[in-house]
Amino acid sequence: AWSWLQLTDVQGECILDQAFDPSRLTFNYQTQEEVYTFVRQLCHQAIENLSRPGIDQANLALGDAYMYNGNVEKWKKFAYSVLARSFNHLSNKVQYNKDSVIIYCDKGIKSNDDNAMVKFAFAPGGVTGTANFMGPARNNLSSVLDGTNTAIRQSSYIVNLMTGANSAFPGVTDPRAIYMLRKNDNNTFKGVDRNKGQTAITPAADRPQNFFGVSQATLSNTAPGNDNNCRYIFRNSVPLPVITAAEVKFMQAEALLRKGEDNNALTAYREAISLHFDMLTTTYNTNIPAGEEITTASKNAYINNTVIVPATPGELTLTKIMLQKYIALWGIGVVETWVDMRRFHYIDPDPETSQQVYRDFVRPTGNDLHPTNNGELVYRVYPRYNSETVWNIEELKRIGADKEDFHTKKMWFSEQ
């Protein structure tokens, strides 16, 4: 269910009923709405099967060494959390049901102990393929700077959110920044502007280290032989979150706010931020520079700052919820963040403030957009160019995927 939801949220229409029919050479694409219905069907079937009496955890664990180790109750909470996602995505549609989001969040992941996290068997000197995708052993993030490949670096947007430079949280330094982001040779946090690249940052000592802690003053992209200087999800053996308690609480906060339950929304919002802090300090507390660790005092000071968490429920806005959710999902929930930004069409205003929900996000224009965008932003990914265009071109034409601007076609979940 989780993977079908991810698939349709990235690509839109997709092959569903015929996906596993080995007798076919061509396949029909089905609507996003049909995939969403199927996702919920699978979730309910999973919950029903997991609720059967006599399920043996040890037996279930034989195929579950890298997630929940056969824990049935945790798998049920995961299924409920996928259901919550599927309803939360539909905030623009008549089918949107706030109560369904709230109820499934209540049944879903509420504790960091229940976080859905993929674990890795990698040990130093072991098989690289068993390591975390984000770690230096697999070296998927540093890449080479040869004009055709792009190294991945932290953006100015996330840095501004966490250093007080975003107008939604002005002047507030986030103690989580050192856990998630990298400083530069000048010991400050800087990010890379969209489409500009790190070579545009001057002086060179202001360029952020790569995610493995390697200085970029001379554009070094050598991945270290170990992860002794790596943090957060960028280590070889650290677990990689799929759905977390913090995300579930943010979904619930949004639904409660839309329902008009301001008190409950503020409580859920505060809990969501707290859960994310606690996940960092328990699971991702390795290689934090001495003296920069999150403490109870620094956590409380941040959460009790009324710029972050309003003193009164009526002051909570969608902007605060979505930007704090953006921080909590940074690096681990990129598809879910993209769903959220498309739900708000990137630049939709917050009804409470008339300013953008994603405050200070600047819509790319002109040469910052590919010519085939025709001035529009990206809403989906094309079907696989090789296999689908060779074998299934007539079906692609039917859904419009043969058009150069198909990637700008808005998603079913994002529209009324």
Side-chain angles (χ1 to χ4, degrees):
W2 173 85
S3 60
W4 279 111
L5 189 60
Q6 293 276 105
L7 174 64
T8 195
D9 287 340
V10 169
Q11 305 221 224
E13 293 85 0
C14 60
I15 301 165
L16 181 63
D17 290 347
Q18 298 174 354
F20 302 108
D21 184 347
S23 68
R24 303 185 65 88
L25 293 178
T26 60
F27 303 84
N28 295 335
Y29 276 66
Q30 291 176 245
T31 67
Q32 296 164 61
E33 185 173 10
E34 289 175 302
V35 181
Y36 266 69
T37 298
F38 184 57
V39 165
R40 293 171 185 168
Q41 176 187 326
L42 288 176
C43 285
H44 287 298
Q45 287 177 344
I47 293 164
E48 180 181 355
N49 287 331
L50 290 165
S51 299
R52 290 179 178 178
I55 294 180
D56 181 68
Q57 178 171 342
N59 188 53
L60 189 60
L62 295 176
D64 184 25
Y66 300 105
M67 186 86 144
Y68 283 138
N69 198 35
N71 189 306
V72 173
E73 293 306 311
K74 291 185 178 184
W75 273 110
K76 287 164 69 173
K77 291 174 183 177
F78 177 70
Y80 281 121
S81 299
V82 174
L83 280 169
R85 268 189 180 181
S86 76
F87 281 95
N88 188 60
H89 291 178
L90 305 187
S91 57
N92 291 323
K93 307 195 75 63
V94 295
Q95 297 98 319
Y96 178 58
N97 189 323
K98 308 174 191 72
D99 288 328
S100 291
V101 179
I102 295 165
I103 289 169
Y104 287 128
C105 285
D106 270 336
K107 292 176 177 289
I109 299 167
K110 293 187 288 186
S111 163
N112 283 324
D113 290 338
D114 297 332
N115 285 343
M117 290 191 170
V118 175
K119 302 173 181 66
F120 299 91
F122 180 81
V127 179
T128 302
T130 62
N132 185 334
F133 182 90
M134 303 288 193
R138 294 184 64 174
N139 195 23
N140 288 308
L141 302 183
S142 63
S143 188
V144 293
L145 295 171
D146 59 3
T148 58
N149 294 297
T150 303
I152 297 174
R153 301 289 180 263
Q154 65 201 31
S155 72
S156 297
Y157 195 74
I158 184 64
V159 170
N160 290 345
L161 274 174
M162 303 189 79
T163 58
N166 185 289
S167 61
F169 307 124
V172 181
T173 299
D174 194 325
R176 295 172 290 180
I178 194 65
Y179 283 68
M180 299 165 58
L181 307 177
R182 301 302 306 208
K183 290 185 176 181
N184 51 38
D185 289 3
N186 283 328
N187 200 37
T188 62
F189 288 109
K190 297 285 186 182
V192 178
D193 290 339
R194 183 185 56 231
N195 293 332
K196 306 305 179 187
Q198 60 185 2
T199 56
I201 298 176
T202 56
D206 274 350
R207 295 171 188 156
Q209 297 173 347
N210 71 14
F211 292 120
F212 308 142
V214 178
S215 170
Q216 295 304 292
T218 56
L219 298 181
S220 171
N221 281 279
T222 302
N226 56 55
D227 59 6
N228 293 344
N229 193 32
C230 302
R231 305 178 201 139
Y232 190 39
I233 56 173
F234 307 108
R235 298 176 59 226
N236 291 326
S237 301
V238 75
L240 194 60
V242 178
I243 300 180
T244 66
E247 179 197 334
V248 172
K249 275 297 176 185
F250 279 120
M251 286 193 287
Q252 192 170 50
E254 180 188 350
L256 287 164
L257 187 69
R258 291 180 182 275
K259 192 179 178 183
E261 294 188 17
D262 293 356
N263 281 304
N264 291 334
L266 184 60
T267 297
Y269 171 71
R270 176 186 286 270
E271 289 178 2
I273 298 173
S274 178
L275 283 162
H276 185 245
F277 265 85
D278 293 346
M279 184 184 77
L280 292 178
T281 56
T282 54
T283 305
Y284 302 105
N285 60 343
T286 302
N287 299 332
I288 307 303
E292 298 189 65
E293 301 91 346
I294 292 173
T295 64
T296 300
S298 64
K299 172 188 172 182
N300 289 340
Y302 183 82
I303 293 178
N304 292 330
N305 188 324
T306 55
V307 173
I308 304 298
V309 180
T312 58
E315 296 175 348
L316 181 63
T317 62
L318 283 171
T319 296
K320 291 186 185 296
I321 292 172
M322 300 314 299
L323 290 182
Q324 284 293 329
K325 184 181 179 185
Y326 185 102
I327 292 171
L329 293 186
W330 184 84
I332 62 174
V334 291
V335 171
E336 193 63 16
T337 294
W338 192 29
V339 169
D340 287 340
M341 296 191 78
R342 286 174 291 168
R343 284 197 291 129
F344 290 98
H345 306 97
Y346 295 99
I347 57 172
D348 281 356
D350 188 321
E352 293 297 318
T353 66
S354 298
Q355 299 185 68
Q356 287 180 191
V357 169
Y358 286 93
R359 188 77 62 80
D360 298 349
F361 174 80
V362 178
R363 185 190 189 282
T365 58
N367 291 334
D368 283 340
L369 285 177
H370 195 275
T372 60
N373 283 46
N374 295 320
E376 299 295 328
L377 300 185
V378 175
Y379 274 80
R380 62 178 69 213
V381 172
Y382 280 95
R384 174 67 179 168
Y385 72 92
N386 191 333
S387 57
E388 290 302 289
T389 55
V390 171
W391 300 106
N392 221 24
I393 187 62
E394 294 304 317
E395 187 66 4
L396 296 191
K397 288 180 180 179
R398 185 184 68 81
I399 66 172
D402 62 320
K403 302 292 191 298
E404 283 192 336
D405 62 348
F406 180 69
H407 59 295
T408 67
K409 180 182 177 182
K410 291 182 173 61
M411 302 292 266
W412 169 79
F413 68 74
S414 70
E415 303 308 294
Q416 293 183 348

